[in-house]
Amino acid sequence: MSYSRITIASVSFVLCCLLSSVCLIVDAPAAALKSGSDDIASRSDQRFSALKGALPERGVVGYVGESGPLAAGDYYLTQYALAPVVVDHSPNHDLVIGNFPDSLSRDVPSNLQLKKDFGSGVLLFAARPSPQRNVQ
Amino acid sequence: MARLLPALLCLASGFLLVSLGWPHRKSAFSDYLFRASLSVGFGAGVFSVDFFLSLPAGVTHLLLIDLGALAVLLIAFFGQRLLSAAASVAMPPERTGELPRWSERAITVGFVIALCSALYSAIIRILAYPHGYGWDAFSIWNLHARFLFLGGANWRDGFTTLLPWSHPDYPLLLPAVVAHFWSYLGYDDPTVPAVISLLFTFSTVALLLAALSMIRGRMSAMLGATTLLATPAFIEQGTSQYADVPLSFFILASIALLCLRDDLARKDQAHAERYSGLLALAGLAVGCAAWTKNEGLLFLCTLVLARLLTLLRFDVSRGNWISVAPRIAPLVVATIPVLLLIAFFKHVIAPTGDLFSSSASTLHKLLDLSRYWAITRWYLKGFFRFGGWLLLPGTLLLIAYYAAARREKHAEPQTGIRTATLALALTLAGYFAVYLVTPYDIFWHLRFSLMRLFLQLWPSAIFLFFLIVKTREGEAGEVVQVENIEIPSP
């Protein structure tokens, strides 16, 4: 009796597990693959590739970007794309990156002047000379 | 060649390191699988340490370092084989099942289906998201790897207080091994972290399968591996390029090695000291866990404490003080090199971590009962949800299986199982304590981390479950000592 109970339990256990295996297949992002990679980090690397060539190889640059729920993610992706340059979330640097992927209105501090627009909302600003500004 | 050479060097280093602590010479398939899966993790550990130590030393010829490390391991390996040639031991034979043949076939087919589904899902995911899925992949782990690889002489720039959100105090096993491979390629190819994450995911499954097969038999192994493969969150997390699955690998490795050592030593009590190498490997594995994530450091402490408490309970109560030291010393000694490395990283390179930096309100939080209740509720809820299962939670399935199959009865105390169970329980209690004093909003912190913390322990929990539960397989053959020739007992 005990023997058959364990046999049935083992087989039933595996069958129940396989329900979740079906879930794995159904949820696999095969559709994303067919329409090309939907990887936001890959897209971000492409957006910033031209800017990367205009930055120094090392050091710290500033950052201004959009506000809203996606703002932190945009900033993280910028840092990921531009490493090993450190991107400080502050406009108080000689060079400041502007990242405005979704909005046309760009709220930029007055101490910054546009140096170059790389398209797709990627901008490079230089700080106007000011005695109060921290120089790095 | 640029891809194959570092992969071979990495695996060979891992395999030699594992072989140094491995007691057997004649091997069954599960034995090879155990060592092969461990080689992936230990190889990553060796590569990570090599790369990290080369940075402050300013050494740029990584091939020389890797060949040097390999040569040292080879010399140690052959030296050890020469010294222990006359003291080889035989493997316990593979256990024969007691389930009817049709059900064994059904379980095997189920395992193969689960394996194919998991492989399909994992490969599709890494092709669709080559940089990882989820913020932590590129805001922490791969970002650190980029700083290590692209930073050159300024590699420390990434561990600055200007980037607190990237957790610059997190240990570097994963970023350093990725950066090591990138150095061979010459560029930061996203397939490297993707393949490493895939290897860790399926090596964890292979390790679970091999360890259960060696200790409890083939059917237990199939059931355990199927449970893990059919945990969608484990496969998804494994391919997301976070460090939680590599950590789960090292936690499982340390527990499996500890249990295997105690199992073999119990069956071959006259020569228990021959299995001390497994204890040392368990120590290295838990050291690698601490070098992977901060939670691994907590697990290291709980494992050593649990081992000590378990041995004190069983040995000292029998007046057997002397036997305690050799059963814990190799484990502790093997963790020391990695602990020194972590101490160097934490005190010289990384800024202070964020969890315990605001100590002023810690006492207030500890006295707030509503926090205890909130965490308890999330623990209970998470227990049934964390795997992302369809319809039936895997945890519920295990409870149901236990109700049907019951517990395996053992004549002697299973110190390995007791140590591991206590260590996991203490680790869960440690996570609970961290949530209590977290400087973040407690619900935000629970929401974005609790499931991953449970996943870190899930492979080990499955392993212990199938060691404890009855699967109606035959008892193992005893280990017999022979001279140079290994003869399994009938």
Side-chain angles (χ1 to χ4, degrees):
Chain A
M1 183 64 189
S2 165
Y3 181 86
S4 60
R5 191 177 63 191
I6 291 173
T7 304
I8 292 164
S10 299
V11 175
S12 308
F13 180 84
V14 170
L15 286 173
C16 292
C17 283
L18 291 182
L19 283 175
S20 293
S21 290
V22 173
C23 180
L24 266 173
I25 295 174
V26 171
D27 289 347
L33 208 60
K34 282 176 193 161
S35 59
S37 173
D38 189 32
D39 188 35
I40 53 172
S42 299
R43 278 189 279 129
S44 174
D45 277 2
Q46 284 165 14
R47 276 184 70 228
F48 287 100
S49 60
L51 169 68
K52 198 169 183 180
L55 292 177
E57 288 187 1
R58 309 273 182 272
V60 183
V61 296
Y63 178 89
V64 290
E66 293 169 351
S67 53
L70 299 177
D74 290 339
Y75 168 54
Y76 297 161
L77 285 167
T78 307
Q79 174 61 81
Y80 181 63
L82 297 179
V85 171
V86 174
V87 182
D88 183 19
H89 201 313
S90 157
N92 300 322
H93 291 274
D94 287 342
L95 287 175
V96 177
I97 291 153
N99 182 20
F100 301 92
D102 297 320
S103 62
L104 292 173
S105 61
R106 291 160 183 174
D107 186 17
V108 178
S110 58
N111 68 316
L112 300 178
Q113 62 182 17
L114 183 64
K115 205 172 167 190
K116 191 167 181 183
D117 186 341
F118 291 89
S120 309
V122 176
L123 309 162
L124 180 62
F125 297 98
R128 297 178 203 277
S130 163
Q132 283 85 29
R133 186 173 52 79
N134 297 326
V135 179
Q136 295 245 357
Chain B
M1 192 60 185
R3 287 167 193 271
L4 196 60
L5 177 67
L8 286 175
L9 283 171
C10 181
L11 289 176
S13 302
F15 188 79
L16 285 172
L17 193 58
V18 172
S19 300
L20 280 175
W22 206 257
H24 307 297
R25 299 187 71 194
K26 183 178 170 63
S27 303
F29 174 73
S30 55
D31 178 89
Y32 282 122
L33 189 63
F34 201 139
R35 281 191 280 171
S37 50
L38 282 178
S39 301
V40 172
F42 283 130
V46 171
F47 250 41
S48 166
V49 172
D50 282 354
F51 185 83
F52 179 69
L53 291 179
S54 76
L55 291 171
V59 181
T60 52
H61 296 289
L62 278 176
L63 182 60
L64 281 180
I65 294 178
D66 293 336
L67 288 174
L70 194 68
V72 169
L73 287 169
L74 267 173
I75 292 165
F77 174 75
F78 284 115
Q80 189 211 39
R81 293 290 129 160
L82 280 173
L83 289 173
S84 61
S88 56
V89 290
M91 278 293 299
E94 290 279 323
R95 294 179 183 210
T96 52
E98 286 186 3
L99 294 176
R101 181 158 290 193
W102 69 267
S103 64
E104 288 199 357
R105 281 184 182 160
I107 291 167
T108 306
V109 168
F111 164 74
V112 172
I113 292 171
L115 177 64
C116 293
S117 309
L119 270 171
Y120 169 79
S121 173
I123 290 169
I124 293 287
R125 289 180 73 82
I126 64 168
L127 289 174
Y129 309 113
H131 288 271
Y133 186 75
W135 292 111
D136 285 10
F138 36 82
S139 69
I140 299 176
W141 306 106
N142 289 337
L143 176 64
H144 290 173
R146 280 191 170 180
F147 272 113
L148 292 176
F149 169 61
L150 298 170
N154 300 83
W155 61 274
R156 290 185 189 208
D157 286 359
F159 306 93
T160 167
T161 50
L162 291 175
L163 308 174
W165 48 269
S166 76
H167 298 280
D169 64 309
Y170 279 11
L172 293 178
L173 185 140
L174 205 53
V177 73
V178 169
H180 197 143
F181 278 97
W182 281 346
S183 300
Y184 273 96
L185 294 176
Y187 68 103
D188 52 342
D189 186 348
T191 56
V192 168
V195 170
I196 288 174
S197 68
L198 192 71
L199 279 174
F200 265 112
T201 305
F202 287 94
S203 294
T204 310
V205 177
L207 183 59
L208 178 65
L209 184 75
L212 278 172
S213 186
M214 283 183 75
I215 302 174
R216 288 286 284 120
R218 207 163 65 89
M219 281 303 110
S220 291
M222 292 282 180
L223 290 170
T226 304
T227 312
L228 187 58
L229 286 166
T231 304
F234 180 79
I235 303 300
E236 288 161 13
Q237 197 61 232
T239 52
S240 66
Q241 299 179 30
Y242 284 32
D244 299 282
V245 166
L247 176 62
S248 79
F249 171 89
F250 287 117
I251 291 175
L252 173 64
S254 57
I255 283 178
L257 285 161
L258 196 68
C259 289
L260 181 64
R261 183 265 163 205
D262 283 4
D263 189 57
L264 292 172
R266 185 170 49 80
K267 291 169 183 163
D268 185 20
Q269 288 180 2
H271 306 99
E273 74 284 353
R274 286 186 184 167
Y275 307 102
S276 299
L278 292 173
L279 270 183
L281 287 177
L284 277 179
V286 75
C288 286
W291 182 229
T292 304
K293 280 201 90 177
N294 286 339
E295 294 94 313
L297 203 54
L298 169 68
F299 179 72
L300 188 152
C301 299
T302 61
L303 186 69
V304 172
L305 178 65
R307 183 70 175 171
L308 188 65
L309 291 175
T310 307
L311 293 180
L312 286 175
R313 167 141 192 252
F314 287 107
D315 290 4
V316 176
S317 62
R318 296 172 182 174
N320 196 7
W321 281 90
I322 298 167
S323 71
V324 173
R327 293 166 73 188
I328 192 169
L331 176 81
V332 176
V333 170
T335 63
I336 291 173
V338 188
L339 283 177
L340 290 174
L341 185 79
I342 294 168
F344 169 71
F345 171 69
K346 295 271 184 187
H347 291 283
V348 180
I349 311 288
T352 311
D354 54 357
L355 276 182
F356 301 103
S357 52
S358 56
S359 55
S361 59
T362 299
L363 185 64
H364 173 74
K365 286 172 180 169
L366 284 173
L367 295 174
D368 185 354
L369 288 180
S370 68
R371 294 176 76 86
Y372 288 85
W373 176 233
I375 300 165
T376 305
R377 273 191 297 132
W378 274 76
Y379 263 49
L380 289 172
K381 198 167 59 174
F383 182 77
F384 295 106
R385 281 189 184 175
F386 74 91
W389 296 287
L390 182 67
L391 298 177
L392 292 164
T395 42
L396 201 62
L397 278 178
L398 291 183
I399 293 169
Y401 186 83
Y402 185 87
R406 304 293 164 84
R407 191 185 178 95
E408 185 82 36
K409 289 191 175 106
H410 298 283
E412 294 181 53
Q414 306 286 302
T415 50
I417 295 175
R418 284 169 192 261
T419 299
T421 308
L422 183 58
L424 291 189
L426 288 172
T427 306
L428 277 174
Y431 293 163
F432 195 102
V434 170
Y435 283 123
L436 273 181
V437 300
T438 177
Y440 303 115
D441 174 72
I442 189 171
F443 294 105
W444 177 87
H445 201 174
L446 283 161
R447 186 180 165 203
F448 286 105
S449 62
L450 184 64
M451 303 298 136
R452 287 188 287 116
L453 296 189
F454 281 172
L455 275 178
Q456 292 168 5
L457 307 181
W458 180 232
S460 301
I462 294 171
F463 173 70
L464 289 176
F465 178 85
F466 283 101
L467 282 189
I468 291 166
V469 80
K470 194 185 278 186
T471 49
R472 300 293 291 170
E473 295 208 346
E475 288 304 305
E478 297 301 301
V479 176
V480 291
Q481 185 210 348
V482 290
E483 296 293 323
N484 288 327
I485 304 164
E486 291 78 26
I487 305 168
S489 65

